[in-house]
Amino acid sequence: MSDYDVIVVGAGLGGLTTAALAAKSGMKTLVLEQSDIIGGCCSTFEVDGYKFDVGASIVEVIQPLERLFEMLGGKISDYLELIPCDPIYSFITDDGQRFSIPTDIDETTELVKRIAPEDVEGWHRFCDKGLSMIEEMMDAVMLSPMNTFSEAMQLGMKNPQILKFAPTFARTHQGVIRSFYKNPVMLQSAAFQSYFAGAPPELGSGVFGYIALSEHLGIYYPRGGMIGIPNGIAKAGMDYGLEIKVNQKVEKLLMENGTAFGVKLENGSEITAKLVVSNLNAQVTYLKLVGPHNLPGWAVKAIASYSNSMPCPMIYVGLDKKPDLEAHHTIVTSSLESMNDVWNNFYKMGIIPETAMSLVCWPTEADPSLAPEGRHILNFLCNAPAPYAPKGDNWDRLKGWYKDAAIKELETYVLPDARDHIEYIQVSTPLDFERRLLHPEGGIYGLFSDMTTLAMFRPRSRSKAVKNLYLTGSSTHLGGGVPTTVASGIVTAKYILKDFG
Ligand SMILES: Cc1cc2nc3c(=O)[nH]c(=O)nc-3n(C[C@H](O)[C@H](O)[C@H](O)COP(=O)(O)OP(=O)(O)OC[C@H]3O[C@@H](n4cnc5c(N)ncnc54)[C@H](O)[C@@H]3O)c2cc1C
């Protein structure tokens, strides 16, 4: 007799989603999280009265969350409050232009007429094609199991309307946006989102070329910080008896004859279950928790062939003054070509770029309660992406230099006298991020994802190599992102309910 029906390792969004749905179906479910807070990359920690988001700073494409809470018998607003953020972004472009993109499509058309009249027709085509694609593909592609070719074919047969969008999967992010825009500023405004999926525009999948449009359907910030999302999912799951334990690091899976039957914790204790779900980086799951000796040779080779996603240093800043910003997010962009160049000639070469894209998030714009009265927070991703192992150096030594470079960037773009108004500052390097969440090489999206590592080319949600092992989260289909990992958790729960329900 097992202690639990389901043990979920890791309380990230994928793990919590699967756990809540398993609990709802009547399975006795336990989540084990090594950190002292839940949520993983989508979480919030407090220092000196400031509440900083660990990683994710916004949620766009909220359909998977809507679907999840529906499946849990409620609606999003029963468990968390999502504050709409408008404008979507403020842009500071490489040629010095500053403008904000409103959510409203007609207002955006007026903006395009002003900044890139030659692309108005392309913007209209982008909207026509993109909006129908988003609507028709959302449920079908995001929430359907896609471990195998046969599942992908079944999906196509069940939803023939999506087949016309298939070529988009075979195109690159930049290929898609170049088919609509010529103007360099329009191109950069739709290109940097490929990094939201962890790849440069020349490698990212064409599907993500439409992120810039999906944002016009609304982007949201949860009241109380990004941890509002995992807290809401956890609360819904706990209504069905879900148990969650923090400060519990899982060291190994209990294995017998190629079958998982529980976990061994760092403190040596063992807990058994009918099945185990891992929300961890899939290489960690297979090569550390399961162990190569418990895997067939083909599985060791296959899992070792993936690489980790990019790391991204972050700076958490508490200010005693309102920053000179217009929107929840401000992006300091560069040309589409230099977005690729940063990847190929800096990140891949182990060089930290001196000027690359930066993203400044100002969460106290949406929710002032995150900071003490009159104070503000900036979560700042500066000069991303940056290598995990800078050539000839290491991040612990570079921390001071990096902090100074980030403050200079803030002084240039956000607040000329930022240095005099910083009450709190913390730098999270890729090494710090690895230590905080045990993400190998500080990778922010689990395994790297490009056109060749999506869908059935990603580690499966239902393991083929280990019986009764399931995977969820950013290493599985659709990769990193709040909506995508919630969707991955739903897909994994569907497999479990099919196998055990
Ligand atoms: C800097 C940054 C910015 C981002 N910005 C956005 C954004 O604005 N919008 C968006 O949609 N997405 C964003 N993302 C991506 C998004 O946050 C993640 O893809 C998503 O939250 C990952 O969910 P996950 O299910 O993969 O779990 P993870 O968040 O990876 O969580 C895994 C959990 O497992 C735990 N764990 C690890 N090892 C063990 C162990 N041995 N035992 C027990 N527990 C363990 C970890 O502590 C962690 O809590 C961002 C991510 C980062 C890092």
Side-chain angles (χ1 to χ4, degrees), residues 226-242:
M226 292 303 289
I227 198 168
I229 298 176
N231 274 346
I233 302 171
K235 189 167 179 295
M238 287 191 288
D239 287 346
Y240 296 103
L242 174 65

Side-chain angles (χ1 to χ4, degrees), residues 90-245:
S90 272
F91 273 100
I92 303 175
T93 61
D94 60 337
D95 61 357
Q97 293 189 55
R98 284 183 183 237
F99 58 89
S100 292
I101 298 202
T103 307
D104 186 85
I105 286 189
D106 294 334
E107 283 177 34
T108 307
T109 306
E110 294 308 309
L111 175 73
V112 179
K113 281 182 189 163
R114 217 173 61 237
I115 61 171
E118 70 274 35
D119 278 342
V120 171
E121 181 272 337
W123 160 246
H124 286 308
R125 269 191 300 117
F126 188 51
C127 292
D128 289 347
K129 177 150 187 208
L131 289 175
S132 69
M133 180 173 136
I134 291 166
E135 196 183 307
E136 295 187 43
M137 297 234 304
M138 191 65 67
D139 263 30
V141 174
M142 284 191 95
L143 301 178
S144 298
M146 233 205 276
N147 268 354
T148 60
F149 278 105
S150 105
E151 282 171 339
M153 278 166 65
Q154 280 168 30
L155 179 70
M157 272 151 47
K158 236 169 85 187
N159 304 279
Q161 80 282 5
I162 66 169
L163 293 176
K164 61 179 179 287
F165 300 115
T168 308
F169 283 86
R171 300 186 76 177
T172 60
H173 187 115
Q174 70 184 30
V176 165
I177 59 172
R178 277 193 169 136
S179 68
F180 298 110
Y181 301 141
K182 293 179 212 65
N183 183 290
V185 168
M186 288 303 284
L187 283 170
Q188 58 190 265
S189 76
F192 71 91
Q193 290 90 340
S194 71
Y195 276 109
F196 286 6
E202 68 181 16
L203 295 180
S205 163
V207 179
F208 298 124
Y210 291 95
I211 295 179
L213 185 61
S214 69
E215 290 162 340
H216 289 273
L217 303 178
I219 65 167
Y220 302 88
Y221 187 75
R223 189 168 301 284
M226 292 303 289
I227 198 168
I229 298 176
N231 274 346
I233 302 171
K235 189 167 179 295
M238 287 191 288
D239 287 346
Y240 296 103
L242 174 65
E243 290 175 55
I244 300 173
K245 293 186 181 170

Side-chain angles (χ1 to χ4, degrees), residues 87 114 164 186 196 198 214 237 254 260 267 289 311 313 321 327 381 431 446 475 487:
R114 217 173 61 237
K164 61 179 179 287
M186 288 303 284
F196 286 6
S214 69
L254 302 177
N267 64 17
L289 266 52
K321 183 181 180 186
L381 276 77
L431 277 178
S475 282

Side-chain angles (χ1 to χ4, degrees), residues 39-54:
C41 301
C42 181
S43 194
T44 308
F45 63 96
E46 187 166 349
V47 192
D48 297 348
Y50 290 100
K51 291 183 183 146
F52 297 106
D53 293 320
V54 171

Side-chain angles (χ1 to χ4, degrees), residues 369-385:
S369 76
L370 296 168
E373 180 83 34
R375 306 289 198 269
H376 285 268
I377 284 175
L378 300 177
N379 298 320
F380 184 28
L381 276 77
C382 180
N383 289 351

